[in-house]
Amino acid sequence: YKLDLFLPTLQALIYTRIARDASRSGLVVLVNGAPVIWKSAKQSIVTKSSTEAELVALTDGCTDVLWLRNRLVFPMR
């Protein structure tokens, strides 16, 4: 038996904008080139550096990407 799986191509674009009062994070997730998830929000925690703010954005973005990947590759039955 040959098992053909539809494995989508996931791309995530994650950004951080640093401001005086609060950092803002954003995310766009593309599946096969089409946007399926997008969001922009103030970060829920205050960071001391721009590097730390970028790590917060990356962590939040990876959480969303992993959630979507698990739904596409192993859908709930």
Side-chain angles (χ1 to χ4, degrees):
Y1 291 95
K2 184 179 178 186
L3 181 62
D4 290 326
L5 292 175
F6 169 70
L7 296 176
T9 302
L10 288 178
Q11 294 176 310
L13 308 170
I14 301 170
Y15 75 89
T16 304
R17 186 177 69 82
I18 309 299
R20 268 189 256 166
D21 54 347
S23 297
R24 190 161 195 81
S25 300
L27 166 76
V28 176
V29 178
L30 306 171
V31 175
N32 294 333
V36 293
I37 293 178
W38 56 90
K39 73 177 186 179
S40 177
K42 281 188 178 180
Q43 290 185 351
S44 59
I45 62 172
V46 176
T47 60
K48 293 184 179 184
S49 68
S50 61
T51 303
E52 193 176 0
E54 290 174 359
L55 287 173
V56 169
L58 185 61
T59 302
D60 290 342
C62 287
T63 302
D64 292 335
V65 169
L66 290 174
W67 176 86
L68 180 63
R69 186 200 63 165
N70 289 336
R71 295 306 173 271
L72 292 175
V73 176
F74 302 107
M76 295 172 25
R77 299 170 191 208

